[in-house]
PDB file of all heavy atoms in Angstrom:
ATOM      1  N   LYS B 224       6.737  13.791 -10.818  1.00 95.00           N
ATOM      2  CA  LYS B 224       7.706  12.847 -11.392  1.00 95.00           C
ATOM      3  C   LYS B 224       8.553  12.222 -10.294  1.00 95.00           C
ATOM      4  O   LYS B 224       8.815  11.024 -10.299  1.00 95.00           O
ATOM      5  CB  LYS B 224       8.607  13.568 -12.397  1.00 95.00           C
ATOM      6  CG  LYS B 224       8.048  13.655 -13.796  1.00 95.00           C
ATOM      7  CD  LYS B 224       9.081  14.209 -14.749  1.00 95.00           C
ATOM      8  CE  LYS B 224       8.493  14.292 -16.153  1.00 95.00           C
ATOM      9  NZ  LYS B 224       9.394  15.022 -17.074  1.00 95.00           N
ATOM     10  N   ALA B 225       8.992  13.048  -9.361  1.00 97.00           N
ATOM     11  CA  ALA B 225       9.832  12.563  -8.272  1.00 97.00           C
ATOM     12  C   ALA B 225       9.003  12.010  -7.118  1.00 97.00           C
ATOM     13  O   ALA B 225       9.570  11.453  -6.176  1.00 97.00           O
ATOM     14  CB  ALA B 225      10.732  13.690  -7.778  1.00 97.00           C
ATOM     15  N   LYS B 226       7.690  12.182  -7.179  1.00 97.00           N
ATOM     16  CA  LYS B 226       6.779  11.763  -6.105  1.00 97.00           C
ATOM     17  C   LYS B 226       7.181  12.417  -4.789  1.00 97.00           C
ATOM     18  O   LYS B 226       7.312  11.749  -3.746  1.00 97.00           O
ATOM     19  CB  LYS B 226       6.737  10.239  -5.972  1.00 97.00           C
ATOM     20  CG  LYS B 226       6.208   9.529  -7.202  1.00 97.00           C
ATOM     21  CD  LYS B 226       6.134   8.036  -6.954  1.00 97.00           C
ATOM     22  CE  LYS B 226       5.951   7.277  -8.235  1.00 97.00           C
ATOM     23  NZ  LYS B 226       6.062   5.818  -8.033  1.00 97.00           N
ATOM     24  N   ARG B 227       7.362  13.714  -4.861  1.00 97.00           N
ATOM     25  CA  ARG B 227       7.753  14.464  -3.659  1.00 97.00           C
ATOM     26  C   ARG B 227       6.906  15.718  -3.555  1.00 97.00           C
ATOM     27  O   ARG B 227       6.529  16.324  -4.576  1.00 97.00           O
ATOM     28  CB  ARG B 227       9.227  14.855  -3.732  1.00 97.00           C
ATOM     29  CG  ARG B 227      10.178  13.720  -3.399  1.00 97.00           C
ATOM     30  CD  ARG B 227      11.532  14.259  -3.004  1.00 97.00           C
ATOM     31  NE  ARG B 227      12.297  14.669  -4.177  1.00 97.00           N
ATOM     32  CZ  ARG B 227      13.352  14.013  -4.641  1.00 97.00           C
ATOM     33  NH1 ARG B 227      13.749  12.918  -4.058  1.00 97.00           N
ATOM     34  NH2 ARG B 227      14.008  14.461  -5.679  1.00 97.00           N
ATOM     35  N   PHE B 228       6.618  16.100  -2.332  1.00 98.00           N
ATOM     36  CA  PHE B 228       5.945  17.369  -2.100  1.00 98.00           C
ATOM     37  C   PHE B 228       6.489  17.976  -0.811  1.00 98.00           C
ATOM     38  O   PHE B 228       7.030  17.255   0.035  1.00 98.00           O
ATOM     39  CB  PHE B 228       4.417  17.225  -2.082  1.00 98.00           C
ATOM     40  CG  PHE B 228       3.863  16.253  -1.073  1.00 98.00           C
ATOM     41  CD1 PHE B 228       3.103  16.715  -0.014  1.00 98.00           C
ATOM     42  CD2 PHE B 228       4.060  14.877  -1.195  1.00 98.00           C
ATOM     43  CE1 PHE B 228       2.559  15.835   0.913  1.00 98.00           C
ATOM     44  CE2 PHE B 228       3.529  13.993  -0.273  1.00 98.00           C
ATOM     45  CZ  PHE B 228       2.782  14.475   0.774  1.00 98.00           C
ATOM     46  N   SER B 229       6.373  19.270  -0.713  1.00 98.00           N
ATOM     47  CA  SER B 229       7.004  19.945   0.423  1.00 98.00           C
ATOM     48  C   SER B 229       6.179  21.138   0.874  1.00 98.00           C
ATOM     49  O   SER B 229       5.413  21.729   0.097  1.00 98.00           O
ATOM     50  CB  SER B 229       8.418  20.392   0.048  1.00 98.00           C
ATOM     51  OG  SER B 229       8.393  21.214  -1.107  1.00 98.00           O
ATOM     52  N   LEU B 230       6.357  21.467   2.144  1.00 98.00           N
ATOM     53  CA  LEU B 230       5.714  22.627   2.752  1.00 98.00           C
ATOM     54  C   LEU B 230       6.799  23.605   3.159  1.00 98.00           C
ATOM     55  O   LEU B 230       7.790  23.212   3.795  1.00 98.00           O
ATOM     56  CB  LEU B 230       4.908  22.211   3.986  1.00 98.00           C
ATOM     57  CG  LEU B 230       4.331  23.351   4.831  1.00 98.00           C
ATOM     58  CD1 LEU B 230       3.215  24.074   4.072  1.00 98.00           C
ATOM     59  CD2 LEU B 230       3.804  22.814   6.164  1.00 98.00           C
ATOM     60  N   HIS B 231       6.608  24.855   2.805  1.00 98.00           N
ATOM     61  CA  HIS B 231       7.555  25.897   3.173  1.00 98.00           C
ATOM     62  C   HIS B 231       6.795  26.987   3.914  1.00 98.00           C
ATOM     63  O   HIS B 231       5.788  27.491   3.408  1.00 98.00           O
ATOM     64  CB  HIS B 231       8.243  26.461   1.932  1.00 98.00           C
ATOM     65  CG  HIS B 231       8.867  25.403   1.089  1.00 98.00           C
ATOM     66  ND1 HIS B 231      10.161  24.947   1.298  1.00 98.00           N
ATOM     67  CD2 HIS B 231       8.368  24.665   0.067  1.00 98.00           C
ATOM     68  CE1 HIS B 231      10.434  23.982   0.421  1.00 98.00           C
ATOM     69  NE2 HIS B 231       9.356  23.800  -0.330  1.00 98.00           N
ATOM     70  N   ILE B 232       7.271  27.292   5.097  1.00 97.00           N
ATOM     71  CA  ILE B 232       6.672  28.367   5.881  1.00 97.00           C
ATOM     72  C   ILE B 232       7.666  29.511   5.886  1.00 97.00           C
ATOM     73  O   ILE B 232       8.791  29.368   6.398  1.00 97.00           O
ATOM     74  CB  ILE B 232       6.377  27.917   7.331  1.00 97.00           C
ATOM     75  CG1 ILE B 232       5.548  26.628   7.341  1.00 97.00           C
ATOM     76  CG2 ILE B 232       5.646  29.027   8.088  1.00 97.00           C
ATOM     77  CD1 ILE B 232       5.360  26.024   8.716  1.00 97.00           C
ATOM     78  N   THR B 233       7.268  30.620   5.279  1.00 95.00           N
ATOM     79  CA  THR B 233       8.165  31.776   5.234  1.00 95.00           C
ATOM     80  C   THR B 233       7.880  32.675   6.435  1.00 95.00           C
ATOM     81  O   THR B 233       6.757  32.685   6.959  1.00 95.00           O
ATOM     82  CB  THR B 233       7.951  32.576   3.942  1.00 95.00           C
ATOM     83  OG1 THR B 233       6.588  33.010   3.897  1.00 95.00           O
ATOM     84  CG2 THR B 233       8.222  31.698   2.721  1.00 95.00           C
ATOM     85  N   ASP B 234       8.879  33.398   6.886  1.00 94.00           N
ATOM     86  CA  ASP B 234       8.728  34.349   7.989  1.00 94.00           C
ATOM     87  C   ASP B 234       8.028  33.685   9.187  1.00 94.00           C
ATOM     88  O   ASP B 234       6.931  34.098   9.605  1.00 94.00           O
ATOM     89  CB  ASP B 234       7.939  35.583   7.535  1.00 94.00           C
ATOM     90  CG  ASP B 234       7.932  36.691   8.584  1.00 94.00           C
ATOM     91  OD1 ASP B 234       8.852  36.718   9.422  1.00 94.00           O
ATOM     92  OD2 ASP B 234       6.989  37.508   8.585  1.00 94.00           O
ATOM     93  N   THR B 235       8.649  32.633   9.715  1.00 97.00           N
ATOM     94  CA  THR B 235       8.028  31.872  10.799  1.00 97.00           C
ATOM     95  C   THR B 235       7.853  32.723  12.047  1.00 97.00           C
ATOM     96  O   THR B 235       8.654  33.614  12.349  1.00 97.00           O
ATOM     97  CB  THR B 235       8.894  30.650  11.147  1.00 97.00           C
ATOM     98  OG1 THR B 235      10.228  31.080  11.393  1.00 97.00           O
ATOM     99  CG2 THR B 235       8.866  29.632  10.021  1.00 97.00           C
ATOM    100  N   GLN B 236       6.761  32.403  12.761  1.00 96.00           N
ATOM    101  CA  GLN B 236       6.438  33.073  14.017  1.00 96.00           C
ATOM    102  C   GLN B 236       6.274  32.016  15.112  1.00 96.00           C
ATOM    103  O   GLN B 236       6.030  30.843  14.814  1.00 96.00           O
ATOM    104  CB  GLN B 236       5.128  33.869  13.871  1.00 96.00           C
ATOM    105  CG  GLN B 236       5.165  34.934  12.785  1.00 96.00           C
ATOM    106  CD  GLN B 236       6.213  36.000  13.081  1.00 96.00           C
ATOM    107  OE1 GLN B 236       6.279  36.530  14.191  1.00 96.00           O
ATOM    108  NE2 GLN B 236       7.030  36.308  12.085  1.00 96.00           N
ATOM    109  N   PRO B 237       6.376  32.414  16.385  1.00 95.00           N
ATOM    110  CA  PRO B 237       6.206  31.434  17.472  1.00 95.00           C
ATOM    111  C   PRO B 237       4.889  30.659  17.369  1.00 95.00           C
ATOM    112  O   PRO B 237       4.834  29.485  17.736  1.00 95.00           O
ATOM    113  CB  PRO B 237       6.251  32.312  18.727  1.00 95.00           C
ATOM    114  CG  PRO B 237       7.130  33.461  18.336  1.00 95.00           C
ATOM    115  CD  PRO B 237       6.803  33.735  16.890  1.00 95.00           C
ATOM    116  N   GLY B 238       3.865  31.266  16.837  1.00 95.00           N
ATOM    117  CA  GLY B 238       2.583  30.588  16.668  1.00 95.00           C
ATOM    118  C   GLY B 238       2.609  29.475  15.640  1.00 95.00           C
ATOM    119  O   GLY B 238       1.667  28.674  15.572  1.00 95.00           O
ATOM    120  N   ASP B 239       3.670  29.401  14.865  1.00 97.00           N
ATOM    121  CA  ASP B 239       3.816  28.309  13.895  1.00 97.00           C
ATOM    122  C   ASP B 239       4.346  27.045  14.559  1.00 97.00           C
ATOM    123  O   ASP B 239       4.360  25.976  13.936  1.00 97.00           O
ATOM    124  CB  ASP B 239       4.767  28.719  12.759  1.00 97.00           C
ATOM    125  CG  ASP B 239       4.188  29.838  11.903  1.00 97.00           C
ATOM    126  OD1 ASP B 239       2.963  29.840  11.673  1.00 97.00           O
ATOM    127  OD2 ASP B 239       4.966  30.718  11.473  1.00 97.00           O
ATOM    128  N   SER B 240       4.786  27.145  15.800  1.00 97.00           N
ATOM    129  CA  SER B 240       5.294  25.975  16.517  1.00 97.00           C
ATOM    130  C   SER B 240       4.162  24.973  16.718  1.00 97.00           C
ATOM    131  O   SER B 240       3.114  25.307  17.289  1.00 97.00           O
ATOM    132  CB  SER B 240       5.868  26.392  17.878  1.00 97.00           C
ATOM    133  OG  SER B 240       6.970  27.244  17.720  1.00 97.00           O
ATOM    134  N   ALA B 241       4.360  23.780  16.227  1.00 96.00           N
ATOM    135  CA  ALA B 241       3.310  22.745  16.278  1.00 96.00           C
ATOM    136  C   ALA B 241       3.853  21.483  15.625  1.00 96.00           C
ATOM    137  O   ALA B 241       4.978  21.444  15.147  1.00 96.00           O
ATOM    138  CB  ALA B 241       2.051  23.204  15.549  1.00 96.00           C
ATOM    139  N   MET B 242       2.988  20.467  15.594  1.00 95.00           N
ATOM    140  CA  MET B 242       3.282  19.251  14.849  1.00 95.00           C
ATOM    141  C   MET B 242       2.648  19.394  13.469  1.00 95.00           C
ATOM    142  O   MET B 242       1.496  19.829  13.352  1.00 95.00           O
ATOM    143  CB  MET B 242       2.659  18.065  15.589  1.00 95.00           C
ATOM    144  CG  MET B 242       3.194  16.724  15.184  1.00 95.00           C
ATOM    145  SD  MET B 242       4.836  16.472  15.883  1.00 95.00           S
ATOM    146  CE  MET B 242       5.156  14.824  15.295  1.00 95.00           C
ATOM    147  N   TYR B 243       3.394  19.054  12.441  1.00 97.00           N
ATOM    148  CA  TYR B 243       2.885  19.133  11.076  1.00 97.00           C
ATOM    149  C   TYR B 243       2.897  17.741  10.449  1.00 97.00           C
ATOM    150  O   TYR B 243       3.882  17.016  10.550  1.00 97.00           O
ATOM    151  CB  TYR B 243       3.735  20.084  10.231  1.00 97.00           C
ATOM    152  CG  TYR B 243       3.576  21.528  10.631  1.00 97.00           C
ATOM    153  CD1 TYR B 243       4.256  22.044  11.735  1.00 97.00           C
ATOM    154  CD2 TYR B 243       2.726  22.376   9.926  1.00 97.00           C
ATOM    155  CE1 TYR B 243       4.092  23.363  12.121  1.00 97.00           C
ATOM    156  CE2 TYR B 243       2.558  23.696  10.302  1.00 97.00           C
ATOM    157  CZ  TYR B 243       3.245  24.184  11.403  1.00 97.00           C
ATOM    158  OH  TYR B 243       3.073  25.499  11.777  1.00 97.00           O
ATOM    159  N   PHE B 244       1.786  17.401   9.815  1.00 96.00           N
ATOM    160  CA  PHE B 244       1.669  16.111   9.126  1.00 96.00           C
ATOM    161  C   PHE B 244       1.380  16.344   7.646  1.00 96.00           C
ATOM    162  O   PHE B 244       0.475  17.107   7.302  1.00 96.00           O
ATOM    163  CB  PHE B 244       0.529  15.271   9.699  1.00 96.00           C
ATOM    164  CG  PHE B 244       0.760  14.792  11.094  1.00 96.00           C
ATOM    165  CD1 PHE B 244       0.250  15.475  12.177  1.00 96.00           C
ATOM    166  CD2 PHE B 244       1.510  13.635  11.325  1.00 96.00           C
ATOM    167  CE1 PHE B 244       0.464  15.027  13.473  1.00 96.00           C
ATOM    168  CE2 PHE B 244       1.730  13.175  12.625  1.00 96.00           C
ATOM    169  CZ  PHE B 244       1.207  13.879  13.696  1.00 96.00           C
ATOM    170  N   CYS B 245       2.134  15.661   6.801  1.00 97.00           N
ATOM    171  CA  CYS B 245       1.758  15.622   5.401  1.00 97.00           C
ATOM    172  C   CYS B 245       0.969  14.337   5.166  1.00 97.00           C
ATOM    173  O   CYS B 245       1.015  13.405   5.977  1.00 97.00           O
ATOM    174  CB  CYS B 245       2.984  15.646   4.494  1.00 97.00           C
ATOM    175  SG  CYS B 245       4.044  14.184   4.609  1.00 97.00           S
ATOM    176  N   ALA B 246       0.243  14.298   4.085  1.00 95.00           N
ATOM    177  CA  ALA B 246      -0.506  13.095   3.743  1.00 95.00           C
ATOM    178  C   ALA B 246      -0.648  13.008   2.234  1.00 95.00           C
ATOM    179  O   ALA B 246      -0.621  14.022   1.529  1.00 95.00           O
ATOM    180  CB  ALA B 246      -1.878  13.083   4.407  1.00 95.00           C
ATOM    181  N   ALA B 247      -0.774  11.793   1.763  1.00 94.00           N
ATOM    182  CA  ALA B 247      -1.036  11.538   0.349  1.00 94.00           C
ATOM    183  C   ALA B 247      -2.325  10.735   0.255  1.00 94.00           C
ATOM    184  O   ALA B 247      -2.617   9.918   1.125  1.00 94.00           O
ATOM    185  CB  ALA B 247       0.114  10.786  -0.295  1.00 94.00           C
ATOM    186  N   SER B 248      -3.060  10.992  -0.773  1.00 88.00           N
ATOM    187  CA  SER B 248      -4.374  10.365  -0.849  1.00 88.00           C
ATOM    188  C   SER B 248      -4.793  10.136  -2.283  1.00 88.00           C
ATOM    189  O   SER B 248      -4.425  10.883  -3.182  1.00 88.00           O
ATOM    190  CB  SER B 248      -5.396  11.270  -0.174  1.00 88.00           C
ATOM    191  OG  SER B 248      -6.707  10.872  -0.468  1.00 88.00           O
ATOM    192  N   ILE B 249      -5.545   9.062  -2.437  1.00 80.00           N
ATOM    193  CA  ILE B 249      -6.272   8.889  -3.688  1.00 80.00           C
ATOM    194  C   ILE B 249      -7.709   9.266  -3.369  1.00 80.00           C
ATOM    195  O   ILE B 249      -8.383   8.580  -2.601  1.00 80.00           O
ATOM    196  CB  ILE B 249      -6.189   7.435  -4.175  1.00 80.00           C
ATOM    197  CG1 ILE B 249      -4.731   7.062  -4.436  1.00 80.00           C
ATOM    198  CG2 ILE B 249      -7.040   7.248  -5.419  1.00 80.00           C
ATOM    199  CD1 ILE B 249      -4.507   5.606  -4.733  1.00 80.00           C
TER     200      ILE B 249
END
Side-chain angles (χ1 to χ4, degrees):
Chain B
K224 274 188 180 171
K226 297 183 194 172
R227 282 200 282 252
F228 57 113
S229 56
L230 172 69
H231 307 272
I232 307 173
T233 59
D234 188 24
T235 53
Q236 301 298 311
D239 293 323
S240 297
M242 197 75 178
Y243 290 80
F244 292 96
C245 66
S248 167
I249 299 172

